[in-house]
Amino acid sequence: MRKLILGLGAVIALASAAASYGETIWAYDNLAEVNRGGVGDALIKFDSATPGVVTEVGRSTIAGTLMSGLDFTPDGNLWAYSQAGNIGMFSVNTTTGKATKIGSGGLTGGDFITDLSYNPRDGKMYGIGEVSADSLLRLYSISLVTGVATLEKTLSSGALSTLDVGLATDSTGKQLVHDLVNDRMFEISGTSLVPLALPEGFDANFSQGMTIDWSRANDWWHGAFNNVTFRTELWRVAPTGAGAFVGNIGGVNGGTGLPEYETGDVAVKPVPEPATLALLALGGLIASRRRRA
């Protein structure tokens, strides 16, 4: 029993140590074909503490397709949704970057999915459906088996015109939305979009996305193109909705003059839940006993 406790403690310590050095943020780069050629958006990753240092994992291999949504499920699998080109839900290989289409359909006419977010409270993958800047937004759940979207509810911001392009979910199941028109975060409350207390603090535009690391400390990350600095930036968002600039995501492409990377969405791989950690520790203990035998 003592050895089991030590094993579990070691696994938890390793998970905590990994988190303390910053979180690995994953994204699909929507400018890969323009800046560097090749086929499809590039799956990239970087440390939240040093976003300027970017690693390209590989290409989606889906030509002319804009990956606008990206998120992990608790099993460590990565999923993406495209809003232009070959539209639909994809599974993503985190070793090669290759995207494999699962399916599509179910969206209200004219809608396109601008972001994905897994909800740890109900175990569903959600996407936000937008057409243009107006006061309405549709929230869909999307099957990871068929890729078909199911309308969950239509949301309203009242008289306020919004263009919602980011979706993130915290550990309690609270869902938050980013609006490009007002550069503000909104909470989904029933069928209403309720603005958070403070604006994020910069003029965001074009491809971007956000995520909340619900399996650790609910760190809220936003990878976005800044319309003033003309750079792709990482921002950390407070519960009030106010953002803090962390750093540029990569540099500038010398050939095009564009940011080297443009994040269609960002995602953080969740750490195993305590029950899974216990199983890992138990597995390690059993393996140790077998080796001694």
Side-chain angles (χ1 to χ4, degrees):
M1 181 65 184
R2 185 178 181 183
K3 289 175 182 176
L4 175 59
I5 293 171
L6 288 173
L8 177 57
V11 173
I12 293 173
L14 285 172
S16 299
S20 69
Y21 287 103
E23 298 164 7
T24 298
I25 297 179
W26 298 72
Y28 257 132
D29 165 31
N30 295 156
L31 281 177
E33 288 179 313
V34 173
N35 280 335
R36 302 183 297 284
V39 180
D41 288 351
L43 183 67
I44 62 173
K45 61 181 180 178
F46 52 89
D47 191 288
S48 61
T50 55
V53 182
V54 176
T55 298
E56 180 173 323
V57 175
R59 295 303 182 88
S60 71
T61 71
I62 311 296
T65 294
L66 181 73
M67 295 296 186
S68 56
L70 190 73
D71 209 357
F72 284 94
T73 41
D75 55 10
N77 289 324
L78 184 59
W79 308 85
Y81 203 101
S82 62
Q83 73 175 54
N86 191 346
I87 296 173
M89 175 70 86
F90 293 80
S91 63
V92 181
N93 186 311
T94 54
T95 301
T96 66
K98 180 179 173 60
T100 301
K101 191 167 186 180
I102 303 300
S104 61
L107 298 177
T108 300
D111 272 3
F112 49 87
I113 296 295
T114 60
D115 204 352
L116 287 181
S117 181
Y118 175 80
N119 189 328
R121 298 299 292 177
D122 63 16
K124 293 182 181 180
M125 184 70 78
Y126 288 88
I128 50 176
E130 270 285 13
V131 179
S132 60
D134 56 24
S135 62
L136 296 178
L137 167 71
R138 278 177 281 272
L139 183 70
Y140 295 91
S141 59
I142 304 174
S143 169
L144 300 179
V145 176
T146 66
V148 175
T150 299
L151 179 62
E152 294 286 339
K153 52 187 171 182
T154 299
L155 306 166
S156 174
S157 56
L160 192 63
S161 179
T162 62
L163 180 59
D164 305 293
V165 296
L167 178 66
T169 311
D170 71 11
S171 59
T172 70
K174 180 191 295 184
Q175 293 173 300
L176 297 133
V177 171
H178 174 242
D179 159 48
L180 275 183
V181 175
N182 302 281
D183 289 311
R184 205 176 189 107
M185 302 296 181
F186 289 73
E187 180 182 345
I188 295 177
S189 178
T191 58
S192 297
L193 291 171
V194 180
L196 298 189
L198 299 173
E200 187 174 12
F202 74 104
D203 181 9
N205 211 338
F206 304 111
S207 293
Q208 58 191 287
M210 65 185 192
T211 191
I212 293 176
D213 186 9
W214 52 265
S215 71
R216 295 179 181 84
N218 284 313
D219 292 331
W220 185 354
W221 304 105
H222 187 195
F225 178 87
N226 188 320
N227 208 30
V228 175
T229 65
F230 211 70
R231 297 293 297 273
T232 299
E233 300 173 346
L234 180 66
W235 286 66
R236 187 169 185 167
V237 186
T240 60
F245 174 71
V246 177
N248 294 317
I249 301 173
V252 174
N253 185 279
T256 64
L258 298 170
E260 189 66 55
Y261 308 100
E262 187 176 66
T263 53
D265 194 11
V266 294
V268 174
K269 186 176 181 179
V271 296
E273 61 184 358
T276 305
L277 290 173
L279 289 174
L280 289 172
L282 180 60
L285 177 61
I286 292 172
S288 176
R289 286 178 174 171
R290 284 177 177 169
R291 284 194 297 270
R292 287 197 299 272

